[in-house]
Amino acid sequence: MGAGFSSPETERTCASVKLPITRPAGLGDLPENCIALILSLLDASEICKFSCLNKAFLQASLSDTVWDPKLPENHRILVKKLIGECSENFISSKKEIYASLSNPSRFDCDTSEIWLDKRRRGICVAISWKGLKITGIDDRRYWSHVSTDESRFHTIAYLQQIWWLQVEGNLELEFPIGTYSLFFRLQLGRPSKRLVGSRRSICSNAENIHGWNIKPVQFQVASSNGYHAQSQCFLEEEGKWTYHHVGDFVVENSHTVTKLRFSMTQIDCTHTKGGLCLDCVFICPSRIVQFTKLVNSRV
């Protein structure tokens, strides 16, 4: 009758009892809010990859917790401006807002384009030459309008010859908080031949290039909140699209409209100048050195 006594019948009864098998915990056992927090630290492409792991990760990837940190603080203002006042009726989640802002959207009668800078929660803006005020632009003695796939707007303005070069523009927009840089995208020489599958011209018409080594081109940008910058340079490199840095401005309130004025001039009438392609004005969150190296290596 001791505590260690067992009969054959007792052993058979114990053997017939099936204890539950403990399954090792896996990623799918993590709480959804924990998974969402982890995914919020990744970029969009990585989130899409992890959402394919299992149902838990898929559900977490749809959470607003994941996408809200990637959106600018004034994202609802931007969505309404670009899509319309009724945008909230068919764009409800933060993921849908992120996808909508990530795709370039046209505004100002299709002369401008805007999209989300995915790394800095800012925005990028491109303004076509058609959205700028250019001296003599409608006079074919001075300018010609060239269709090309080298521009995101599929058209550029080509300056044949002029005495007085003056290009001006303005923009009113609710920029997210941050520091931004403004560039003019220019090329000396009219592209005439391209490598198949390449974005770089291998031959350009340099016959009309003249006047850019005599006096520098002046660039200016000013914002409504008091920032003003100017720069100047001689245009020298032929046959290659170049982003000429004008200056920077700072946005401190994303819920008020920032008004910009910018220009490019060469108004010394002692000589003519020509052979210049003008594509667009480009605005992006400031990272000047990295940006110019990147885009100039791709054009």
Side-chain angles (χ1 to χ4, degrees):
M1 300 299 293
F5 175 80
S6 63
S7 66
E9 182 178 350
T10 303
E11 292 179 356
R12 285 195 299 271
T13 302
C14 292
S16 64
V17 176
K18 295 183 179 179
L19 298 175
I21 299 175
T22 303
R23 180 177 60 84
L27 290 175
D29 297 309
L30 288 172
E32 184 177 311
N33 60 338
C34 291
I35 298 175
L37 183 60
I38 295 170
L39 294 180
S40 69
L41 303 176
L42 307 178
D43 61 34
S45 61
E46 292 172 326
I47 293 171
C48 292
K49 291 177 182 177
F50 276 99
S51 68
C52 299
L53 283 177
N54 52 49
K55 186 176 180 180
F57 271 76
L58 175 60
Q59 287 298 117
S61 70
L62 303 176
S63 171
D64 285 351
T65 303
V66 174
W67 300 99
D68 189 59
K70 306 181 186 308
L71 292 171
E73 62 279 356
N74 64 341
H75 59 270
R76 294 197 178 278
I77 295 176
L78 296 173
V79 170
K80 287 182 179 180
K81 182 180 181 67
L82 299 175
I83 302 178
E85 292 294 331
C86 60
S87 59
E88 292 185 356
N89 295 336
F90 56 91
I91 297 182
S92 57
S93 71
K94 297 294 177 67
K95 181 180 180 180
E96 292 174 330
I97 294 175
Y98 180 87
S100 176
L101 293 179
S102 295
N103 293 319
S105 301
R106 295 285 177 93
F107 65 103
D108 282 351
C109 301
D110 283 347
T111 62
S112 300
E113 202 168 67
I114 184 173
W115 63 97
L116 180 68
D117 183 324
K118 299 177 182 179
R119 292 187 176 182
R120 302 207 173 195
R121 297 179 66 191
I123 56 174
C124 298
V125 180
I127 306 170
S128 167
W129 64 268
K130 289 185 176 182
L132 307 176
K133 182 181 179 182
I134 304 173
T135 302
I137 189 61
D138 294 321
D139 192 329
R140 293 306 176 92
R141 293 175 300 173
Y142 306 130
W143 293 89
S144 59
H145 310 164
V146 181
S147 297
T148 175
D149 59 356
E150 294 187 25
S151 167
R152 66 188 313 116
F153 297 99
H154 305 294
T155 178
I156 60 172
Y158 177 70
L159 175 62
Q160 299 170 115
Q161 180 171 287
I162 205 167
W163 291 90
W164 181 288
L165 173 67
Q166 188 166 6
V167 180
E168 298 177 333
N170 59 77
L171 175 66
E172 296 184 7
L173 188 66
E174 295 90 341
F175 283 88
I177 293 173
T179 302
Y180 292 82
S181 299
L182 187 143
F183 303 82
F184 274 84
R185 187 173 188 253
L186 308 171
Q187 175 179 277
L188 285 179
R190 180 171 179 166
S192 57
K193 190 176 182 181
R194 307 270 307 279
L195 281 173
V196 177
S198 173
R199 298 183 63 184
R200 183 185 297 275
S201 300
I202 61 172
C203 180
S204 62
N205 186 347
E207 293 179 1
N208 293 327
I209 299 175
H210 65 282
W212 305 110
N213 59 343
I214 301 174
K215 291 290 180 68
V217 176
Q218 307 287 334
F219 299 95
Q220 290 191 60
V221 60
S223 68
S224 56
N225 54 356
Y227 289 90
H228 181 271
Q230 57 185 1
S231 60
Q232 63 179 22
C233 70
F234 291 95
L235 305 184
E236 299 175 333
E237 192 167 6
E238 300 179 7
K240 180 181 179 181
W241 286 105
T242 305
Y243 287 79
H244 292 271
H245 180 231
V246 178
D248 301 340
F249 62 94
V250 178
V251 176
E252 299 171 341
N253 188 339
S254 63
H255 291 85
T256 61
V257 174
T258 298
K259 299 179 181 180
L260 296 177
R261 292 181 292 106
F262 44 88
S263 65
M264 177 182 74
T265 58
Q266 216 290 20
I267 54 178
D268 185 343
C269 292
T270 60
H271 65 282
T272 62
K273 37 266 176 188
L276 177 69
C277 290
L278 170 59
D279 177 22
C280 67
V281 168
F282 192 87
I283 303 170
C284 68
S286 292
R287 53 182 187 277
I288 300 168
V289 176
Q290 299 94 324
F291 172 76
T292 52
K293 285 183 178 179
L294 174 64
V295 295
N296 287 334
S297 66
R298 291 183 176 179
V299 296

